Amino acid sequence: MSVNADEVIHAIALTMVPHIGCIQHRILLEQLGSARAVFQTPVSRLEKIPGIGPVRARAITTARDLRHAEKEFRTMERLKIRALLYHGDAYPKRLKNCPDPPPLLFYRGTSDLNANRMIGVVGTRQETLYGRELIEAYIDGWRDAGLIVVSGLAYGVDHLTHLTCVKKGIETIGVLAHG
C-alpha cells in the first residue's frame, strides 16, 4: 500500500469518527500533519488540541479499526474514484474559502476543479417552460466563454443543465452531496 493510499484510508476513517466534523478534522490535520498521525497520537495529547477535548479524543482512540475505511478504499479503486484531500493540490481552491470545507472529496472524471472559469447553476426541482428556455439560452451563451458548468445533479434545473451541457459539448461537473 502506498503512502498516499495509507493517508486516504486514514482520512476516510477519520470522517467516520463520531463527534469529528469538518472543522475538527482540519484542526487535527493542521496540528498533527496527517490523518495517520491523528490515529497514532495518544489520547492525552489529543485532549489538549484546541477544539478537540476529552470526548473527541476518546472517540478517536476507540475508532482505530481501519477495516471499514479499507473496504471503502477498495471500492473506490474498483470504481476508479479518486480521493481529494483538503491539503492536496487537486482539492478545489475555491472550496477552501468556506468556513467548513469537507476534508475529503471523492472525484471521478477529468475536469480541472481549479479551472479559472466556472459557473454554478442551482434551481428548482420542477422547472417551468420559461426555465427550460432560459437554461438553453444561457448555455448557448456560455459555449464560447470556455466555462465549466457546475451543478448538483438533482432533478429539475440541475439535471436539465447537465443534459443540455452534454448535448452542446460544454464541460460539466456534477456535485453529489452526502454526509
Side-chain angles (χ1 to χ4, degrees):
M1 174 180 330
S2 72
V3 173
N4 188 32
D6 186 58
E7 181 61 17
V8 169
I9 290 167
H10 281 84
I12 293 169
L14 191 54
T15 67
M16 297 174 180
V17 175
H19 311 293
I20 301 296
C22 299
I23 293 172
Q24 292 82 23
H25 192 126
R26 193 173 69 237
I27 289 169
L28 288 162
L29 293 183
E30 288 169 357
Q31 292 287 318
L32 301 171
S34 72
R36 184 177 219 279
V38 170
F39 286 101
Q40 295 174 334
T41 301
V43 69
S44 59
R45 179 157 180 230
L46 290 170
E47 288 176 340
K48 294 175 184 166
I49 296 173
I52 302 305
V55 171
R56 290 184 176 113
R58 278 193 299 280
I60 292 166
T61 58
T62 57
R64 293 184 174 174
D65 184 355
L66 301 177
R67 285 181 286 191
H68 188 67
E70 288 167 344
K71 182 180 176 188
E72 291 291 321
F73 184 78
R74 285 191 301 275
T75 300
M76 289 170 51
E77 285 185 314
R78 183 173 46 80
L79 298 174
K80 297 179 176 41
I81 296 170
R82 293 184 342 189
L84 305 178
L85 301 172
Y86 177 79
H87 293 294
D89 293 336
Y91 192 92
K93 291 172 181 42
R94 290 175 189 92
L95 197 52
K96 290 184 177 186
N97 292 322
C98 296
D100 60 347
L104 179 64
L105 296 175
F106 302 98
Y107 174 74
R108 184 173 165 182
T110 58
S111 292
D112 177 4
L113 302 182
N114 288 305
N116 288 331
R117 302 188 59 129
M118 299 176 110
I119 190 163
V121 176
V122 179
T124 181
R125 289 185 184 243
Q126 295 180 343
E127 79 277 359
T128 62
L129 175 61
Y130 174 71
R132 287 190 295 273
E133 291 170 351
L134 194 61
I135 290 167
E136 189 86 21
Y138 272 123
I139 290 174
D140 280 339
W142 295 338
R143 182 182 302 133
D144 296 327
L147 291 172
I148 297 176
V149 179
V150 182
S151 194
L153 282 178
Y155 288 114
V157 168
D158 294 27
H159 181 251
L160 181 61
T161 297
H162 288 291
L163 287 177
T164 305
C165 285
V166 169
K167 183 173 73 177
K168 295 180 181 273
I170 296 172
E171 192 169 355
T172 181
I173 297 172
V175 179
L176 301 172
H178 64 79

